[in-house]
Amino acid sequence: MEIRDCVAMVTGGASGLGEATVRDLVAHGGRAAILDMVEENGNRLAAELGKNAIFVKTDVTNEASVREAVNRTLSSFGGFQVV
């Protein structure tokens, strides 16, 4: 799979394996929506990675929260290919 120009929504993206995934995607030319509950980590990571990453506070157990994350990803990046 070609990562360049790919948009991914990464749950748990503000730390651990999720953060590593976000960093790798962006390093290879992709863009990432960082979905997590930990605002401090998510905002820090998004700021560090710049225009190719956004943070969306998301509770994956709540349908409305996930819907908001999808909508923010769509408005920021125009679509997504990977979750």
Side-chain angles (χ1 to χ4, degrees), residues 17-65:
L17 183 57
E19 179 180 351
T21 300
V22 167
R23 288 182 181 283
D24 192 59
L25 285 164
V26 172
H28 286 92
R31 293 173 285 170
I34 303 161
L35 282 53
D36 207 299
M37 292 294 293
V38 184
E39 292 180 80
E40 183 177 344
N41 291 357
N43 286 323
R44 173 195 47 78
L45 182 58
E48 178 186 330
L49 296 175
K51 66 180 179 150
N52 290 323
I54 61 168
F55 171 68
V56 185
K57 184 176 181 179
T58 308
D59 176 355
V60 297
T61 68
N62 179 290
E63 183 179 343
S65 183

